[in-house]
Amino acid sequence: MTKPLNRQIAALPTTIFTVMSELARAHDAINLGQGFPDTEGPQDMVQVAADALLDGRNQYAPLTGLPELRRAVADSNARFQGLEIDAESEVVVTSGATEALAAALMALIEPGDDVVLIEPLYDTYLPMVRQLGGIPRLVRLQEPGWTLPREALAAAFSARTKAILLNTPMNPTGKVFTTEELDFIASLLRQHDAYAVCDEVYEHLTFNTPHVSLMSRPDMRERCLRIGSAGKSFSLTGWKVGYVTAPAPLAAVVAKAHQNLVFATAPNLQRAVAFGLNKDDQYFQDLAADMARKRDILSAGLRSVGLEVLPCDGSYFVMADITPLANGLDDVAFARQLTEEAGVTTIPASAFYDPANGTPPKHLVRFAFCKQDAVLQDAVARIKHWASQKDG
Ligand code: PMP
Ligand code: GLN
């Protein structure tokens, strides 16, 4: 066998989330790396999915999703973002936000198009953009404030810009973009006639201010493809049900990408997600309040062991500066050591950067706090014990 496989795909490393989860398993460590809750999502939703399996819902769903789920996505856009969405023509149900991202980018990008991305970034963005022949234009946020560098962002845009990929609330920083920042991005989209792929999977996990979608800002309705994930909104990450909301002409092309990627998503899960999206406001408030409490437990605990914890206003994640405990190790070596010796797994933050865009920070790791309170407390106790032994 001599002919090369697809070089870009073949050269990709295994995702850091899988690498660190395997390391956690090998060392029986508490896994605060890969972002998934360690409790089940709402039992009534699981029951709806189970009932639907026994209810003649086992053949292909319609290409763009079950009507009841598309209706629920449209209603949720109205309830939480004041957006008027046509459930028939402006919603596409996908197999997770990962597929939604791929389909949205496939719908937009042609080889040679510039795509603006903000670092640190979720690990599938760059490979997907590059695979489609897009040219990434990276703009880096600086810790600890992660404020948007407006001049650098403006400089990244040009007539060649097809789209920005914007993630708010942001993985891995926990940043929630301010309305002013969103409006600045909107002004650039208007000026350069570009689109926005809005990864809003953590839309229901903001802790200080309600989530604002770029799509809800003036003139942005026609330029945005907004992506949600039932995995995050209902703590059911294994279900892999996502949804794209976009103006009809864009949604029609997203649907064509979806027809070749997956075609249709599991119907019983779609039915249950429709049920979930129709839950009352209290459910969504409790989800965020619960997660804010977990952020506080973990952040206070990490501070008590001497780590500097960066601010976090949303998502499942906090970043911490490891310098006080790392003894000169970089983030990758420290994350390995913490798993092997303390029994706590994190994600080295350099994984969220493109080294071709300048040396990434090597002093940050990402902790997931979407875990039971006692597990978070145990993780802190383990780090405390390990740090005291190391000093002694
Ligand atoms: N975008 C971001 C920012 C994420 O953190 C994740 C991961 N969980 C995804 C997309 C993918 O979501 P899903 O599991 O629904 O594919
Ligand atoms: N989004 C999750 C995280 O950031 C991981 C999802 C995955 O492993 N693909 O941890």
Side-chain angles (χ1 to χ4, degrees), residues 23 61 143 160 245 261 280 286 334:
L23 196 67
E143 85 283 1
R160 291 185 306 278
T245 303
L261 284 166
D280 59 16
D286 291 349
F334 177 79

Side-chain angles (χ1 to χ4, degrees), residues 15 17-18 33-36 98 122-124 171 202 232 240 317 347 352 366:
T15 159
F17 306 122
T18 295
Q34 193 177 24
F36 59 91
T98 308
Y122 184 55
D123 80 328
T124 61
N171 179 4
Y202 301 105
K232 307 295 148 79
K240 299 295 289 187
F317 309 110
I347 302 289
F352 301 104
R366 188 195 80 175

Side-chain angles (χ1 to χ4, degrees), residues 143 305-310 320-331 334 362-365 386 390:
E143 85 283 1
V305 301
L307 289 171
E308 192 194 319
V309 180
L310 276 54
D321 184 336
I322 60 175
T323 311
L325 291 186
N327 223 346
L329 293 181
D330 70 9
D331 59 336
F334 177 79
K362 300 278 176 74
H363 63 289
L364 300 172
V365 299
W386 169 76
K390 205 163 64 94

Side-chain angles (χ1 to χ4, degrees), residues 76-83 200 203 210-214 216 226:
S76 162
N77 271 296
R79 171 158 53 137
F80 294 106
Q81 298 299 326
L83 286 163
E200 301 178 18
E203 62 189 315
H211 173 67
V212 178
S213 175
L214 181 64
S216 72
R226 164 169 145 71

